[in-house]
Amino acid sequence: MSKKILKYISIIVGIFVLLIIYLSTIGIETEKFNKQIQDLVKQKNNKFDTSLKKIKLTLDPFNFKFNAKTIDTKIIFGDKIIELEYIKTQISLNSLIKNQLVTSHIEISTKPILLKNFVSFVRSINDKPELFFLERFIKKGYLIADLEFNFDEFGKLREDYKVNGLLKDGKISLFKKNELEKINFLFNITGNNFSFTDISFDTNNINFLSERLNIKKNKKDYFLEGNIRNKNSPLNEKLLKTIKLKYPQFNLINANFESDNDFSFNINNKLKVDNLAINSNILIHNSQFKKNNLISNNFSEINDLIDLKDHEIKASYTNKKLSIEGKGQVKLQNKFEFIDYEITNNDSDLNLVLNIQLSELDIKNQNLIKGYFPKTKEILNLKDHKIKLNYKGNDLSLKGSGKIKLEKELNKIEYFFSTKDNKYKFETNLEINDTPLNIDFINYTKDKNLNSQLRINGNYTKKFGLDFKKISLLSKNNSLVIHDLIIDKNNKLVKVDKIDLDYFDNSGKKNKFTFSRTKNNDYELNGSLFNADSLITSLLKSKDDQQLDLFKENINITLNFSNVYLDNDNVVKNLNGKLRIVDNRVTKANISALYDNSENLTFTIKTKDDEKITTLFSSRAKPLVKRYKFIKGFEDNNEGYLDFYSSKKDGIANSKLIIDNFKVKEIPALAKLLALASLQGIADLLTGEGIRFTDFEMNFTNKNELMTIKELYAIGPAISILIEGYIDENDLISLRGTLVPATTINRSIASIPLIGDLLIGKKAGEGVFGVSFKVKGPPKKLETTVNPIKTLTPRFITRTLEKIKKN
């Protein structure tokens, strides 16, 4: 009995084992659960429908579950279809017995499906805003995916789902002018973590590759981090314009580059990006940079398009701060030069540090430089310059050193320039070896072969003008130093604290004096030596009413010189006095000095009730008179004096000039011929002593550009002259007068002492007494009329006699 029981049990167990083996390996197919699956799908979304084939069940004996699998399933929603390769799940034995589909795990593998359809399908399950925008952005592409889902005991989806797959040939249009196309990548999604690898896409004709992109969902947003790179690609106009909108200073064109970039950022459901961080290695093979106004204003000779080549750049962007370190080559004119730079941009604040090594650069000469260095060329050549440029916000500083060719040789130069808050600072240290330097107002010219050092530092503001802290020009035996010189925007002198000059001028004369400010607008001009020769010549040539247009404020100057050269032969000592300058006109002056033998020189100006009275007296006339071109070879033997008086009111100046006891070695040809008519004249010319005049007096008026000579006469033993007329500076000269040689005199006049030496004429009836003349016409084409006269004019004789009696 027991054997039979054992036999039946063995048969049953065998059948059970065979059944388990069959169900585990071959399984069974059924449509029993199709209706439940369709109803479950519709329960989740009534717009969904499914197309299912038979479900194949295979036993999992160790877990007491059945594995269920169906192939070629379709999910239909609207006019879209999602085709699935298969669906796999597990069903418990209890569910199978109760004829209910209860599962805790599902695996789905899709066939290639359109990316846009897949996003629409996901939106139909969970309609999040970001999915709406993503669906609108997608233009094309398809994907293949494997999905795994787990459910809790209540049928709710767990967060540990897994999705693996690939995307092929995707295209997304973010904006009208920016598209991502040819998108390919592998993806792996686990719960809230998204991983993308082997990524490639094109945008603006640039092919980008990425090894990874990881996305992690946080509470309110997504965190993305990854890598992206591109091979040698052109940076097209669309992307360049986008960069220029953010950074208008970087005006690049025709860029060709490659890059490797690591990035991370957060993005919320409204596609707002936060905490963007990018680290990049960029190689710009070639590009061009459009010259901006900052470069144009200071370096006009630089190319309009600056070429860049082989630039290696490290860039990072974190918390809205961009940092760039780069180096490469740049062509400013004809040759590529090495350059390295650091750039930081915090929101809208741009900071730039640039180092450049220039082997050669041409810059345009400026009028200011040309005025002091007349021999310099229109284009100045820079050689072997090392330049460091800092740009921060709107502030710029530039520091450099190298060599500059002013004429033929190279001279060392160091310089610094900066702008901050609309204030410009500058420093220059320049060697001047091979070119002359002219400073006309102090009669100084640096010899071409004299090595000199020029240093300038100061600042400039548009509102206040130039403030020179120090200017110095140093060379052997010459020192010119200026401290705290301020010139306003209208080029007028506001103040100067001190000018210290010790130099040899163009006449070889030593000058040593100091011009210093004592307080406010009071100045002192003190020195041991001063050559006033060129200054006097300039003053005598200037108009009486000429305005200095030099000083901004009214000033007082106290003079104190030990020795002053009036010319090469005449020196005055102890020159002292005061000047008052109001509205750039000398309104008050009182200056005096002594010659060697206690002869004096005085100059005064007094202004009262709009009348300006000027006097000048010099015991020696020669230092002043010889400067006029129409009087050549003037001699006074240190005996003749000069006395000048002028009164000016309402624009009209009435003046008198008296010169006593002088000789002229060279006089016009007509005067020479007439001088030969007297024995004294012949003797003077033959001995080379010149024609001597004992008296000269001129009464004249000036108004605007017209000089009216009321009366001019000169009396001498050889010849005498009487002139009247007018001279218009621009248009006309009109003079008339009498020029008569001296011989003998009739007895009625000869009774006056010395009249034979002073009066002009011949014995009555013995021929021509002299000539009358007229000079008339424009300055460049004068007409002269000469007529003989039989008798001397009564007026001329009367004036001569009055002069003799007076003396």
Side-chain angles (χ1 to χ4, degrees), residues 17 58 95 134 258 276 359 372 428 439 478 596 649 655 706 735 759 784:
V17 170
T58 56
S95 298
L134 181 60
E258 59 183 86
L276 175 63
S359 60
Y372 289 99
T428 301
I439 308 178
N478 294 284
D596 291 337
K649 188 174 184 180
S655 306
L706 179 66
L735 301 174
L759 193 59
T784 302

Side-chain angles (χ1 to χ4, degrees), residues 426-428 455-459 467-471:
F426 50 86
E427 292 182 20
T428 301
R455 296 176 184 267
I456 302 174
N457 73 76
N459 56 66
D467 181 1
F468 292 98
K469 297 300 181 183
K470 187 175 181 179
I471 303 174

Side-chain angles (χ1 to χ4, degrees), residues 677 740-750 759-770 789-792:
V740 184
T743 55
T744 58
I745 192 66
N746 58 46
R747 294 179 180 179
S748 62
I749 301 176
L759 193 59
I760 302 169
K762 272 191 172 186
K763 290 182 180 180
E766 293 187 1
V768 178
F769 287 96
I789 57 174
K790 296 293 184 180
T791 58
L792 298 176

Side-chain angles (χ1 to χ4, degrees), residues 656 697-699 711-713 715 722 759 793-806:
K656 176 184 287 189
E697 183 174 323
M698 177 178 173
N699 293 281
E711 184 178 64
L712 181 156
Y713 72 88
I715 300 174
L722 178 66
L759 193 59
T793 61
R795 181 184 177 194
F796 187 76
I797 296 174
T798 303
R799 292 290 296 162
T800 304
L801 292 174
E802 288 177 353
K803 188 66 180 176
I804 294 170
K805 292 177 181 179
K806 182 179 178 180

Side-chain angles (χ1 to χ4, degrees), residues 670 674 720 737-741 768-773 786-789 792:
L670 178 61
L674 292 170
S720 293
T738 304
L739 186 151
V740 184
V768 178
F769 287 96
V771 296
S772 66
F773 63 89
V786 179
N787 296 312
I789 57 174
L792 298 176

Side-chain angles (χ1 to χ4, degrees), residues 235-279:
L235 199 60
N236 70 7
E237 288 297 321
K238 292 181 180 179
L239 189 55
L240 286 170
K241 288 180 180 179
T242 303
I243 296 173
K244 188 178 178 181
L245 287 174
K246 179 66 176 175
Y247 305 108
Q249 302 91 343
F250 298 110
N251 197 359
L252 293 173
I253 61 172
N254 304 327
N256 196 277
F257 79 111
E258 59 183 86
S259 66
D260 191 347
N261 314 274
D262 293 320
F263 62 88
S264 64
F265 59 91
N266 293 89
I267 186 169
N268 61 18
N269 56 9
K270 295 182 180 179
L271 300 181
K272 181 181 179 181
V273 175
D274 288 315
N275 301 322
L276 175 63
I278 304 173
N279 291 298

Side-chain angles (χ1 to χ4, degrees), residues 572-588:
V572 294
K573 297 182 178 297
N574 299 326
L575 187 146
N576 297 282
K578 293 184 177 181
L579 293 174
R580 171 69 174 166
I581 299 176
V582 177
D583 295 332
N584 281 296
R585 287 186 170 90
V586 179
T587 60
K588 186 177 181 181

